[in-house]
Amino acid sequence: MSDLRLVIFDVDGTLVDSQAEIMAAMTSAFGASHFTMPDRKSVLSIVGLSLNEAFAKLCPEASSAERAHLVQAYKDAFNDLRGPDGNAELSPLFPGALDALNVLRAQDNTLLAVATGKSRRGLDKMLERHGLSGVFHSEQVADHHPSKPNPSMILTALNETGVAPARAVMLGDTTYDMDMARAAGIRKIGVTWGYHAADTLKPDAMIETFAALSAAVDQLLGS
């Protein structure tokens, strides 16, 4: 039996602090519509969902056509925020993220993956901006899967890497991440610095800094 382990990362609110970018794009999208923008807490509560699902929660009264318009307006605003060269920095990595990734990357039996509500284009931009292109062995994005908490992204990552569910763990900041991991039958690590209250996550392990990640992975999966 393979001893490979898989650590799957959420992106927004877990690896990168994208709330400034998200709030700015939401402000622009709602400004181009007749809908009233919800408060900051409500907006951040949907981070991690696919955009269509996110707007369905934020604007339950919107028709499918109106929701599609909001989604496109959000995507356009997000793209504009990156500037003419696409490299404007609005979503910094959380402290310690890069070091934690490097520690795990150096382990021969540990593979890394991403499962994110971002689009393929959005993830590519983020990875390029932070020098992370090629770091992850499996990259699952909203373009190709049902929204979290459907387990499709995790199941595909397991299939692509050949890692058994018992040897995989999801790192995330939202209940969507935890519910997705539970549905896929893998372990889950919550972070305290993200967009959902830590006491709502109910993970198998909780970390307060990225420095604690490697030990938490060992605790749940074995070294």
Side-chain angles (χ1 to χ4, degrees):
M1 179 178 171
S2 170
D3 69 343
L4 287 177
R5 314 187 303 177
L6 180 64
V7 183
I8 307 171
F9 291 80
D10 168 57
V11 176
D12 295 310
T14 300
L15 276 178
V16 300
D17 187 3
S18 46
Q19 60 180 304
E21 213 163 11
I22 289 168
M23 292 303 298
M26 280 290 182
T27 299
S28 180
F30 276 99
S33 77
H34 64 273
F35 295 104
T36 300
M37 181 170 163
D39 60 27
R40 183 186 194 87
K41 182 178 180 181
S42 297
V43 171
L44 292 180
S45 76
I46 54 80
V47 174
L49 296 176
S50 68
L51 285 175
N52 193 58
E53 290 293 318
F55 280 111
K57 282 186 174 290
L58 294 176
C59 298
E61 72 278 19
S63 67
S64 58
E66 289 170 328
R67 200 157 59 239
H69 179 79
L70 284 164
V71 168
Q72 190 57 52
Y74 179 92
K75 287 181 176 180
D76 291 343
F78 216 91
N79 191 53
D80 290 344
L81 286 165
R82 296 196 180 105
D85 62 357
N87 291 317
E89 180 50 76
L90 289 175
S91 295
L93 287 167
F94 280 105
L98 187 58
D99 288 342
L101 287 170
N102 286 336
V103 167
L104 293 172
R105 287 174 68 192
Q107 300 169 0
D108 290 340
N109 67 329
T110 303
L111 305 180
L112 306 181
V114 162
T116 177
K118 283 186 177 299
S119 66
R120 178 74 261 175
R121 182 181 182 185
L123 179 63
D124 286 346
K125 286 289 186 183
M126 188 282 289
L127 295 176
E128 180 183 357
R129 194 184 310 167
H130 293 298
L132 297 176
S133 299
V135 167
F136 298 97
H137 298 83
S138 179
E139 298 172 355
Q140 305 306 319
V141 297
D143 306 50
H144 307 136
H145 297 279
S147 179
K148 297 176 183 180
N150 187 293
S152 175
M153 285 195 272
I154 290 178
L155 296 177
T156 302
L158 292 172
N159 185 58
E160 286 186 356
T161 58
V163 175
R167 295 285 287 165
V169 65
M170 175 79 201
L171 180 76
D173 70 304
T174 70
T175 56
Y176 312 127
D177 298 318
M178 302 298 107
D179 289 345
M180 178 174 64
R182 191 175 295 110
I186 71 170
R187 309 304 290 275
K188 46 207 179 295
I189 299 173
V191 305
T192 60
W193 57 79
Y195 302 150
H196 283 194
D199 60 7
T200 67
L201 301 185
K202 299 179 174 59
D204 297 303
M206 180 75 78
I207 60 172
E208 296 184 358
T209 69
F210 264 112
L213 178 58
S214 184
V217 172
D218 288 346
Q219 172 196 335
L220 294 179
L221 303 182
S223 58

